[in-house]
């Protein structure tokens, strides 16, 4: 008998087919972790309804096992992005939760306002600058391009590509300075091609390193994920 594939709570949330309170809490906990690791995410609040009839509204700080048992930590005042006083954290055990409302989930579709707005013109200038940076790190000519001629004509692609351009330059420059890895990059990579798709991925073939980012900010690659994906393409 085959073991059923575990449902990815983030994918379930994105596709609107989350099936339980616990999947929502797990997904929001993962999103908060990715936010604290550097992704410019807008995080929706949740309201947790308790069996006692009370309700608690806040941002999911963490969901999992604690000394008090399994449950969720909610930031119930101040709010994410608020650096002032008055931030409370409330622990709610699993056993007292009856239902949950996820408020304004559409905020997940756009990056946080702290991320500067980009534009096709900005990206057309920034991409050659990234290629120059890589060429300096390689010690030889490296070119950079977008996946298709129409990549910048879709408005929904602009911010994902801006994130990918910025962090690809940083990650590849750092990898180029690493022993062994840098030598393989210089030998194998002559062109970097960036695109937007349904999911993040990396592929190296015929001297071209293809990097694809998701349209969804929650699935944009962190620098550690980008570095790992690039290294996984190397022989």
């Amino acid at each position: 008998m085959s073991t059923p594939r575990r449902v990815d709570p983030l994918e379930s949330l994105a596709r609107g087919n989350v099936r339980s309170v616990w999947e929502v809490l797990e997904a929001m906990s993962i999103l908060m972790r990715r936010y604290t690791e550097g992704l410019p995410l807008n995080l929706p609040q949740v309201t947790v309804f308790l069996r006692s009839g009370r309700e608690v509204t806040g941002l999911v700080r963490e969901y999992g096992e604690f000394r008090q048992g399994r449950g969720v930590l909610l930031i119930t005042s101040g709010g994410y992005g608020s650096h002032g006083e008055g931030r409370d954290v409330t622990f709610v055990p699993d056993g007292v939760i009856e239902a949950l409302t996820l408020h304004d989930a559409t905020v997940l579709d756009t990056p946080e306002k702290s991320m500067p707005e980009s534009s096709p013109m900005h990206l057309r200038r920034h991409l050659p600058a990234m290629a120059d940076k890589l060429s300096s790190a390689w010690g030889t000519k490296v070119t950079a391009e977008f996946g298709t001629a129409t990549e910048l004509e879709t408005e929904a692609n602009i911010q994902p590509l801006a994130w990918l351009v910025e962090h690809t330059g940083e990650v590849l420059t750092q990898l180029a300075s690493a022993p062994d890895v840098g030598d393989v990059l210089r030998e194998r990579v002559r062109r970097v091609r960036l695109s937007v798709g349904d999911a993040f991925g990396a592929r190296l073939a015929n001297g071209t390193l293809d990097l694809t980012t998701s349209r969804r900010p929650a699935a944009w690659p962190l620098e550690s994920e980008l570095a790992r994906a690039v290294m996984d393409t190397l022989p």
Side-chain angles (χ1 to χ4, degrees), residues 174-222:
Q174 291 171 12
L175 290 177
S177 65
D180 299 330
V181 175
D183 292 338
V184 176
L185 283 174
R186 279 184 278 274
E187 178 186 348
R188 299 279 180 164
V189 178
R190 291 289 175 265
R191 177 170 57 178
V192 177
R193 186 161 52 201
L194 308 179
S195 59
V196 178
D198 294 330
F200 166 59
R203 186 173 67 91
L204 176 59
N206 303 319
T208 298
L209 177 64
D210 280 293
L211 297 173
T212 303
T213 185
S214 171
R215 294 179 181 84
R216 298 167 43 235
W220 292 355
L222 295 162

Side-chain angles (χ1 to χ4, degrees), residues 111 115 123 155-166 195-196 213-217 220-221:
M115 182 179 179
L123 288 173
E155 185 177 351
N157 289 354
I158 301 304
Q159 291 299 88
L161 285 172
W163 176 268
L164 192 58
V165 168
E166 177 182 355
S195 59
V196 178
T213 185
S214 171
R215 294 179 181 84
R216 298 167 43 235
W220 292 355

Side-chain angles (χ1 to χ4, degrees), residues 5-6 37 40 59 98 106 117 131 139 148 193 207-208 217 221 234:
R5 187 175 68 88
R6 184 177 181 276
E37 289 174 342
L59 288 158
E98 187 168 41
T106 57
E117 281 287 335
T148 66
R193 186 161 52 201
T208 298
L234 302 178

